[in-house]
Amino acid sequence: MNDEGTSAGGTWLELSVECDQEAVEAVSEILSRAASGGVSVEQPFTTEQEGLAAAPVPGAPATVRAYLPAIDRLAAEAAVTQARERLGHLTAFDLRPIGRLQVREVHEEDWASAWKQHFPVMRLGRRIVIKPTWRDYDPAPEDVVIALDPGMAFGTGLHPTTRLCLVGLEHWSDEGIVAGASAFDVGSGSGVLAVSAALLGAAPVRAVDTDAIAVEATLANAARNEVTVGASQGSLPVDDGPFDLVLANLVAGILVELAAELVASVRPGDGSPGSGGRLLASGIFIDREPEVRRAFAAAGLRVVGREQETDWVVLDLERTGP
Ligand code: SAH
């Protein structure tokens, strides 16, 4: 069966670029324009606590990878040429070192198994444990264990922006605002955030992603964890909002672009602090934080929390007013 090269067993072109942390966002943007299959960022990590936790290696270069279906040769070659040109411009204008664009063909089965070696059981925050479906884990009593198979979708839990969201979600849970709350995951990828919210007691949980592969992965991971996530392909706005809790792990540019619609999807408050719904905005590269803050302030949100890991920032925002 050959379903545009995106079905199981399809052949993909993998584009990868090794670059400094500072260049990750720009390189991700360029590769994501070329690739319909999503972009992932691999930060080198060391495992700690006998493989039960992963810590990023500060200062080590990251690898940005993107996948596009190889079935349409001409389109794929055009996309690669364009990405190479854009990276060339970036190298010309940027002082940060960027590696050469590497292109290789991968078969979906090989891709999936190659990833598995780099995906340990990970504890995030105090209680959240991401357990790849092919690994064993003996949970502690308080643990919230998420069984995950990312497949081709982004959201392995290794990316700092995902980890930051999970930590933010755990803070919300500690505040007592997750159980029984409605939640909305914008750009769900593997569904890691939506499924975690559901496991922490949020209901109903809704998710959208522009990528069909991500929607499939989100539904599969929800089923695997025996929770319900209403996932569909698309973006904002959705007509079943507003929601008590909104999770948006996107890049800064998209957060700014979608700020008004994101805010509209958060339940309004009555003007007093603590009365409104909350938004976790993640995927913010630190030098773009001021821009993102301005966009959300203009759209009526106030910042109630902030976390940072390496150069990535997550903002916890409240829609205090109407
Ligand atoms: N929530 C996951 C994945 C984040 S990656 C995690 O935290 O790990 C961002 C995801 O957003 C990708 O799957 C991408 O396909 C999706 N996306 C990008 N732009 C979007 C948009 N405008 N609307 C909805 N989803 C979008």
Side-chain angles (χ1 to χ4, degrees):
M1 191 184 73
N2 222 336
D3 181 15
E4 309 253 277
T6 55
S7 63
T11 302
W12 297 72
L13 284 188
E14 181 195 72
L15 315 189
S16 63
V17 178
E18 202 181 81
C19 61
D20 262 28
Q21 300 292 341
E22 286 80 359
V24 163
E25 198 197 17
V27 171
S28 301
E29 289 213 21
I30 290 173
L31 292 194
S32 67
R33 273 187 232 174
S36 59
V39 176
S40 73
V41 184
E42 255 168 60
Q43 314 274 5
F45 64 91
T46 51
T47 48
E48 295 171 344
Q49 299 169 32
E50 293 162 10
L52 275 187
V57 182
T63 306
V64 183
R65 291 181 207 277
Y67 297 87
L68 58 146
I71 187 80
D72 183 349
R73 276 282 152 202
L74 286 178
E77 276 165 23
V80 170
T81 305
Q82 203 172 48
R84 189 167 275 133
E85 272 169 18
R86 290 194 169 125
L87 288 165
H89 293 155
L90 198 62
T91 322
F93 289 108
D94 209 278
L95 302 173
R96 313 303 317 179
I98 296 170
R100 276 176 58 82
L101 174 67
Q102 312 277 345
V103 181
R104 74 183 177 109
E105 203 167 86
V106 289
H107 299 283
E108 205 154 303
E109 317 84 71
D110 304 342
W111 185 88
S113 50
W115 259 89
K116 291 186 175 176
Q117 298 161 24
H118 302 291
F119 193 3
V121 174
M122 274 178 301
R123 177 177 295 281
L124 300 135
R126 276 178 303 102
R127 302 163 55 207
I128 298 180
V129 175
I130 308 267
K131 185 189 90 66
T133 45
W134 57 93
R135 294 199 193 275
D136 294 325
Y137 177 68
D138 196 9
E142 294 274 280
D143 283 354
V144 176
V145 180
I146 303 142
L148 203 70
D149 187 339
M152 295 292 294
F154 181 105
T156 56
L158 289 179
H159 196 286
T161 63
T162 307
R163 283 200 294 259
L164 284 167
C165 276
L166 289 169
V167 169
L169 194 56
E170 187 176 80
H171 286 163
W172 282 355
S173 178
D174 291 344
E175 268 184 55
I177 61 170
V178 178
S182 61
F184 181 32
D185 183 0
V186 185
S188 59
S190 63
V192 57
L193 304 178
V195 171
S196 302
L199 286 170
L200 289 166
V205 179
R206 180 81 168 83
V208 290
D209 201 297
T210 43
D211 183 356
I213 294 169
V215 175
E216 236 174 77
T218 297
L219 292 170
N221 281 317
R224 203 164 264 140
N225 290 277
E226 295 171 8
V227 294
T228 304
V229 173
S232 62
Q233 189 177 3
S235 186
L236 294 159
V238 290
D239 51 20
D240 42 357
F243 303 88
D244 298 319
L245 307 172
V246 178
L247 302 150
N249 184 14
L250 303 158
V251 292
I254 300 181
L255 288 172
V256 170
E257 211 175 287
L258 295 180
E261 283 179 298
L262 278 166
V263 172
S265 73
V266 181
R267 179 177 54 74
D270 62 11
S272 60
S275 63
R278 300 273 277 272
L279 166 72
L280 274 180
S282 189
I284 306 165
F285 209 68
I286 194 158
D287 58 2
R288 304 198 59 182
E289 185 184 351
E291 187 191 334
V292 175
R293 279 179 180 255
R294 273 196 302 276
F296 284 119
L301 295 193
R302 82 188 170 97
V303 176
V304 293
R306 176 191 185 276
E307 296 275 344
Q308 185 180 339
E309 184 182 320
T310 61
D311 286 329
W312 298 97
V313 173
V314 63
L315 294 175
D316 180 356
L317 303 135
E318 191 200 20
R319 186 171 174 189
T320 310

